[in-house]
Amino acid sequence: MSQRKISMAVIRRLPRYYKYLGELLNNGVTKISSQDLSDTMQVTASQIRQDLNNFGGFGQQGYGYNVEYLYNEIGKILGQDQLHNMILIGAGNLGQALANYTSFGRQGFHLIGIFDINPKLVGLKMRGIEVLDIDNLEQFIKENSVDIAILATPKAGAKDMAQNLSDWGVKGLWNFTPEDLFINGDMEIENVHLFHSLMTLAYQIHND
Ligand code: NAI
């Protein structure tokens, strides 16, 4: 399938499509109209058609969408047909919660290394992985194929860390520090802010 550049707004909606389609597939549903998909997902049918048209639609007039095909194609777009090696930098409260989240592994995101600067954490095992001193990071990345680094350290030093990771060849950074990071180089960065979601919820509470 040839792919043109898709807007990030569309890409950000795809994981939801993927999840719902996976559930339909598990329930034995083989085809679905954009209207039924819309009713299930609470997204307008026209939005669904517009989004899926970005990839050639995957649907047939009067037939609807083939659930398995659509699920697999969206999965490929989202890299779900590949395995990703991940490392975690910062094994504090958030880092440990992320390391203990087993679903990432089931979705093909494999944690292969954990790093921290705190000597009390170095040497401990989290999900069977020994926490290494941060001084080992460059060597580890050179010896292992690291696709994604999770950054869960305090924000001081985060930008320098991100630049190093990019220079050492890491392809993507899942940045949880409060600072939005932008660096020179090819590494893609996804800045994650749970607080933004919380503020959106607060807005909804006060504007229903
Ligand atoms: P924490 O203090 O429990 O953990 C931070 C860990 O990073 C510690 O183990 C510390 O030793 C380690 N560390 C510090 N400098 C390091 C370095 N240079 N290299 C390697 N490890 C280093 O903090 P917590 O609660 O786990 O939060 C971590 C980060 O995530 C903070 O920046 C916090 O603001 C942020 N955060 C972001 C959220 C989000 O939605 N994006 C939600 C919650 C926290």
Side-chain angles (χ1 to χ4, degrees), residues 88-97 115-119 121 132-135 137 151-158 161 175-179 191-196:
L88 168 67
I89 304 167
N93 291 308
L94 180 62
Q96 289 183 34
F115 299 85
D116 204 286
I117 205 169
N118 181 349
L121 292 174
L132 299 177
D133 188 281
I134 192 68
D135 285 347
L137 183 62
L151 192 56
T153 59
K155 86 173 183 186
M161 174 64 79
N175 171 39
F176 282 86
T177 72
E179 176 144 342
N191 297 302
V192 185
H193 300 289
L194 297 183
F195 194 48
H196 292 187

Side-chain angles (χ1 to χ4, degrees), residues 92-110:
N93 291 308
L94 180 62
Q96 289 183 34
L98 291 168
N100 283 315
Y101 188 58
T102 51
S103 285
F104 294 143
R106 283 200 294 275
Q107 295 290 125
F109 295 93
H110 291 295

Side-chain angles (χ1 to χ4, degrees), residues 66-86:
N66 176 320
V67 173
E68 186 174 8
Y69 180 74
L70 192 52
Y71 176 78
N72 288 335
E73 290 302 312
I74 291 179
K76 279 186 222 162
I77 292 161
L78 295 175
Q80 289 295 289
D81 57 339
Q82 292 165 45
L83 297 178
H84 296 93
N85 283 336
M86 299 202 296

